[in-house]
Amino acid sequence: MYARIGMGCEFSKFSACCRGTEPNRPAPEAQIDENEEKRKADNLPPFHEYTIDQLRKATSGFSVENIVSEHGEKAPNVVYKGKLENQMQIAVKRFNRSAWPDARQFLDEATAVGQLRNERLANLLGCCCEDGERLLVAEYMPNDTLAKHLFHWETQPMKWPMRLRVALYLAQALEYCTSRGRALYHDLNAYRVLFDDEGNPRLSCFGLMKNSRDGKSYSTNLAFTPPEYLRTGLLIQFLSPPSCFSSSSNFVFLVKIHVLRTGLVLIQIRRCLTSRVTPETVTYSFGTLLLDLLSGKHIPPSQALDLIRNRNLQMLTDSCLVGQFSDHEGTELLRLASRCLQSEPQERPNPKSLVNALIPLQKDSEVPSYVFMDIPHAAAAASPLSPLGEACLRMDLTAMHEVIEKIGYKDDEGVATELSFQMWTNQMQETLNSKNKGDAAFRHKDLKTAIDNYTQFIDVGTTVSPTVYARRSLSYLMSDMPEEALNDAFQAQIISPFWYIASYLQAAALFALGRENEAHVALKEGSSLENKKNTN
């Protein structure tokens, strides 16, 4: 395809893409700092099987508020944001119950992917296949997807040096996976590229898992399907819609509808082989990503090649990039995309060749990604602590008690309750009395009485109240019972996922337990949630 598109081309800015051969110079070897890679791996826990209760707790009961994405037709799934007890943020992918019926197959596949550890990946940390559930647990990436930054940006478009960095980092991720025997990546697209807290692009580990139980990757948009899957098949024509036709897991149907002048409807149905992922199809998908980076749009490859042949290169270049790159840089990136989109799979470059081609194109390598992305740096983004945050850091439980007592139950507003007409029965009145007695004891720091009465109220289970859990948590803390305090602080967050008081109490309990690093993470999260609440 690359050699063919160059025939007869005589344009200046991208003329080099019309040459059929590359300069005969050795490409530099791909360089990924092995010490940095080891450091990243050392900071991550080994692959782990989680229980459904752990993940339910981490995601606040799979709360709708924690949904990050929801998609998939052949293998429907939902991705949730979550937080483990050690304060590590995670992404939890929960498959539809009909996916992965074989638990052993799911566990084996997840375990294999979970052995990978690399700074270019959003790494897989664990899984869960308990009680019919199929869940994957990965590192959480807080700064959106490449699709968001390229196609749906709000403040500024992605800068050219950052686009080149994205291309290189993705190629390095694919090279690493290939070197570890995981060359197949399913459904590689701009939504699979995530940005970490430093603004660096990472390739989602979820694409390394088969995305259906039969191990095939189904193309949802035939315009982006590699050409080898559209060559085979038969073309069937009907003068009226067929009453039915059967499909197969091995085929998809490409349908075109034409209204003839006679009023008849002509329906063309083309049966095409579905996309079994191969290393060559992954490279083809990488080529479409290079087009995305160059154009800032999701242009079907066939359309891009037509634009090249017709010399309509303006449509291939993001107008926001004017003046940001040289003719040589644009030419080389387009030429590399063309090589990836070759119609013959064996003519497409492998990941190592992609890395070697992209390294010389890098610009401003010393500039951190968060600067290019205009993302506040984690180290510089910390806001001054509020009085409550300072009290938590100092472990001033008396000051924390004053704040929690002062705000009362106003943060329970909007929290779902299970109260019914039974609240007026003697039993319910007794239950409410236990809460009121607990409040009175909490006010006067009669901690044992407060704990006992709050426990009676909680055990009945008729009312959901994060504040009751928060008050009992602080009572436990002031009674030198940090483990119990931590459990209640987590329970308060499950009920109200974005309540800053719950995070502060977790931090205080973790400080009391000597878990300093985790405590500082919880403290930072509490401060962030409090600032968001005060600015809304």
Side-chain angles (χ1 to χ4, degrees), residues 444-468:
H444 294 99
K445 300 181 183 176
D446 181 357
L447 303 176
K448 183 179 184 307
T449 302
I451 290 171
D452 290 344
N453 280 279
Y454 285 143
T455 300
Q456 289 179 31
F457 178 75
I458 288 170
D459 287 347
V460 172
T462 54
T463 305
V464 178
S465 170
T467 301
V468 168

Side-chain angles (χ1 to χ4, degrees), residues 503-515:
S503 294
Y504 281 139
L505 284 168
Q506 288 174 38
L510 289 164
F511 277 128
L513 289 166
R515 293 156 64 176

Side-chain angles (χ1 to χ4, degrees), residues 32 118 120-121 168-178 203:
I32 299 179
N118 189 266
R120 300 293 183 248
L121 296 175
L168 174 62
Y169 281 20
L170 293 184
Q172 288 176 333
L174 293 175
E175 182 189 16
Y176 169 78
C177 294
T178 300
L203 185 61

Side-chain angles (χ1 to χ4, degrees), residues 157-176:
M158 185 180 290
K159 295 180 175 65
W160 176 250
M162 190 64 207
R163 300 189 193 204
L164 294 174
R165 186 173 299 178
V166 169
L168 174 62
Y169 281 20
L170 293 184
Q172 288 176 333
L174 293 175
E175 182 189 16
Y176 169 78

Side-chain angles (χ1 to χ4, degrees), residues 48-71 76-85 88-96 106 122-130 133-141 192 194 204-206 209:
H48 179 70
E49 282 190 63
Y50 294 90
T51 67
I52 187 64
D53 287 340
Q54 285 177 304
L55 299 184
R56 188 176 286 114
K57 188 174 183 179
T59 58
S60 299
F62 298 107
S63 166
V64 173
E65 293 176 306
N66 283 337
I67 291 179
V68 176
S69 67
E70 189 171 7
H71 56 81
N77 61 81
V78 182
V79 179
Y80 298 85
K81 175 184 177 181
K83 186 177 70 172
L84 298 172
E85 287 194 10
M88 184 177 190
Q89 288 191 317
I90 55 173
V92 180
K93 183 172 184 175
R94 190 184 197 186
F95 288 94
N96 181 281
F106 177 79
N123 294 282
L124 191 65
L125 305 176
C127 71
C128 173
C129 47
E130 178 184 331
E133 294 279 2
R134 302 289 183 267
L135 303 107
L136 299 174
V137 180
E139 292 181 280
Y140 177 70
M141 301 289 112
R192 296 284 199 182
L194 312 169
S204 170
C205 62
F206 293 151
M209 293 279 293

Side-chain angles (χ1 to χ4, degrees), residues 145-157:
T145 65
L146 178 61
K148 171 71 181 295
H149 292 293
L150 270 186
F151 311 140
H152 311 294
W153 54 271
E154 296 173 357
T155 57
Q156 65 172 18

Side-chain angles (χ1 to χ4, degrees), residues 37 55 66 71 105 115 132 161 190 219 252 261 263 327 350 352 444 475 489 529:
E37 183 179 318
L55 299 184
N66 283 337
H71 56 81
Q105 182 190 24
Q115 304 313 305
S219 176
V252 292
R261 291 182 179 178
D327 289 358
N350 59 33
K352 185 176 181 64
H444 294 99
S475 298
L529 291 172

